[in-house]
Amino acid sequence: MLILKKPTPDELEVVIQIRAECCNCGQQALVEAPSTEAAAIKLQRLGWHSFETDEICGTNFCPNCIHELKEIEQQESAA
Ligand SMILES: [Zn+2]
């Protein structure tokens, strides 16, 4: 006889989604990670960064905005 029961809890995994928002353009990204520290490492691999220059420190920027920052940096160092 077949008896159906609820899934076994020990075989289930808690997944936490962590959201990052770009401080420049507002783009958002969701990553699954057990902590914000682990999420930061995943986000860095995806191209997200905080940064600092001689003048300012910036918090989380998305890959597009980081790309623009790099281009500005290159133009300034070429000028
Ligand atoms: Zn951005």
Side-chain angles (χ1 to χ4, degrees):
M1 183 174 131
L2 174 67
I3 301 172
L4 296 177
K5 304 194 291 188
K6 73 178 190 320
T8 308
D10 288 349
E11 296 296 318
L12 301 177
E13 182 185 4
V14 177
V15 173
I16 302 172
Q17 276 200 326
I18 295 169
R19 186 179 65 216
E21 184 171 333
C22 177
C23 294
N24 193 43
C25 74
Q27 183 184 321
Q28 295 188 350
L30 283 172
V31 294
E32 291 175 0
S35 67
T36 51
E37 193 61 38
I41 292 167
K42 277 193 172 184
L43 285 162
Q44 182 173 17
R45 290 196 188 118
L46 295 172
W48 287 71
H49 295 279
S50 60
F51 65 94
E52 63 180 83
T53 67
D54 294 338
E55 295 93 31
I56 53 167
C57 289
T59 52
N60 304 337
F61 266 35
C62 73
N64 290 338
C65 293
I66 290 294
H67 181 73
E68 284 179 21
L69 275 180
K70 285 181 178 171
E71 289 199 335
I72 292 169
E73 171 93 352
Q74 279 178 353
Q75 286 167 7
E76 283 179 355
S77 63

